[in-house]
Amino acid sequence: MVFSTDNRPVAILVVEDEVMVRMIATDILADEGFRVIEARDAKEALTLLEARTDVRVVFTDCNMPGEIDGIGLAHLVHRRWPQIGIIVTSGRVRPAPGDLPQGARFVAKPYRRSTLLDEVRELLGLDEGTPQGAPVLPESVVVQPPVSGTSGVAHAAPVPEPDKS
């Protein structure tokens, strides 16, 4: 899981009108430990953003039905909630330089799972080398290097207590 400062999984809003595409993006993000909120269009996304304070990233398609497309949504989100990261995606159009708000990212469809997750991690400032949500050993446990001639697996062992006598 990827946790926010309030110890809850980081929330990502996925805005996509095509149900199957939205489900795939949602599954990718949820499998990585994010809390995913879904919207069918920009209007629904704005309603959700007005009601919530926990969304850290908006991942939106460019082409959606309604008065506001994904690029318009990206600009509205950037103006009203500048702390929210924005990723725009499309399989039909590629935004020209300057079309997206500053700091927003573009991911072309079809995208790889790793590409989407890398973009999200970068927006959130997460260290890719440290798996988020991985169990952390207490300070009293040290990892012993593998012993020559063994399987090469490191073993964790408790730190010996100082002699109290």
Side-chain angles (χ1 to χ4, degrees):
M1 294 231 158
V2 183
F3 294 97
S4 61
T5 55
D6 63 358
N7 254 357
R8 295 178 63 199
V10 169
I12 298 177
L13 176 59
V14 175
V15 189
E16 170 67 61
D17 60 310
E18 294 185 38
V19 176
M20 292 304 293
V21 176
R22 188 172 66 239
M23 286 174 53
I24 291 168
T26 297
D27 287 348
I28 289 170
L29 295 165
D31 287 349
E32 193 66 15
F34 294 104
R35 193 164 23 110
V36 183
I37 303 139
E38 300 177 41
R40 295 179 306 261
D41 57 30
K43 184 178 177 182
E44 184 178 7
L46 291 169
T47 300
L48 288 166
L49 288 168
E50 288 169 356
R52 304 182 68 110
T53 59
D54 58 342
V55 175
R56 299 267 314 275
V57 174
V58 170
F59 177 55
T60 182
D61 185 32
C62 276
N63 299 40
M64 290 184 294
E67 295 176 20
I68 307 168
D69 65 4
I71 292 176
L73 175 63
H75 283 282
L76 286 170
V77 169
H78 180 71
R79 276 195 300 271
R80 292 179 68 184
W81 299 279
Q83 74 281 7
I84 294 177
I86 302 165
I87 302 172
V88 177
T89 187
S90 179
R92 296 183 188 138
V93 298
R94 185 172 208 88
D99 283 352
L100 297 178
Q102 184 177 359
R105 296 164 183 259
F106 177 76
V107 175
K109 289 181 183 176
Y111 47 80
R112 294 180 183 271
R113 177 183 193 279
S114 60
T115 302
L116 174 58
L117 293 174
D118 287 348
E119 292 293 338
V120 168
R121 285 187 194 110
E122 283 183 33
L123 274 176
L124 294 171
L126 300 175
D127 180 9
E128 291 181 43
T130 306
Q132 296 297 310
V136 177
L137 295 173
E139 287 183 22
S140 62
V141 176
V142 293
V143 176
Q144 307 274 331
V147 178
S148 178
T150 64
S151 65
V153 176
H155 300 280
V159 174
E161 298 230 358
D163 190 6
K164 295 181 183 177
S165 51

